[in-house]
Amino acid sequence: MIIVDTSVWIEYLKGNEHYRNVLPQYLREKHVVAISAIFGELLQGVQNKREYEIIAGFWESLPKVNEKELFIEAGKLSYEYKLYNSGVGLIDTYILAAALKNDYALWSLDKTLYKAIDIIENK
């Protein structure tokens, strides 16, 4: 399964050709899993009712990450690797914790998320 980060969804929704070609395949093959933090960010940025309906539709139709106690796990992960001190916020750590906990792939364009991954892998 793949957690598709906000940055990738935005490129897809903007019509970026690469993401318009790749993401639908993952969606058809049921490889994408949704997490509330990402869809909350997407919904926060909607510009009109049509965008809202598209994003809400994806949220309703996709399987969901088990988020039970995930903020606690994210806090522990941040503490253990001093991610906050490295400029990695709790939402990014939350998304990363979900990927690690469930052994999911993470598709992102966010350099901060990759910085966190580097910190964890190199410690």
Side-chain angles (χ1 to χ4, degrees):
M1 297 299 279
I2 304 166
I3 296 173
V4 178
D5 190 28
T6 310
S7 56
V8 175
W9 279 109
I10 289 170
E11 290 302 314
Y12 169 78
L13 293 166
K14 285 185 349 187
N16 181 307
E17 186 177 346
H18 172 72
Y19 301 95
R20 281 284 201 189
N21 291 333
V22 177
L23 185 54
Q25 178 182 342
Y26 291 139
L27 292 165
R28 277 191 302 276
E29 294 172 359
K30 301 191 185 313
H31 291 308
V32 177
V33 64
I35 185 168
S36 63
I38 290 169
F39 278 83
E41 288 180 326
L42 290 169
L43 288 167
Q44 179 182 19
V46 297
Q47 300 296 312
N48 55 53
K49 184 174 173 82
R50 182 179 174 275
E51 287 180 7
Y52 177 88
E53 290 172 353
I54 290 168
I55 293 166
F58 277 119
W59 172 254
E60 292 300 321
S61 67
L62 290 170
K64 311 296 186 286
V65 169
N66 177 358
E67 298 186 53
K68 184 176 184 202
E69 297 192 23
L70 193 55
F71 267 116
I72 298 301
E73 292 183 38
K76 290 177 181 178
L77 185 67
S78 182
Y79 167 76
E80 181 178 352
Y81 293 98
K82 307 298 183 229
L83 296 178
Y84 183 77
N85 295 341
S86 300
V88 181
L90 188 58
I91 296 297
D92 284 337
T93 305
Y94 184 85
I95 294 164
L96 182 55
L100 292 170
K101 176 183 177 182
N102 295 288
D103 197 28
Y104 291 155
L106 178 56
W107 186 13
S108 179
L109 304 175
D110 186 338
K111 292 177 183 170
T112 305
L113 271 173
Y114 288 107
K115 179 180 181 179
I117 292 167
D118 286 342
I119 291 168
I120 291 168
E121 288 179 344
N122 292 314
K123 186 169 183 181

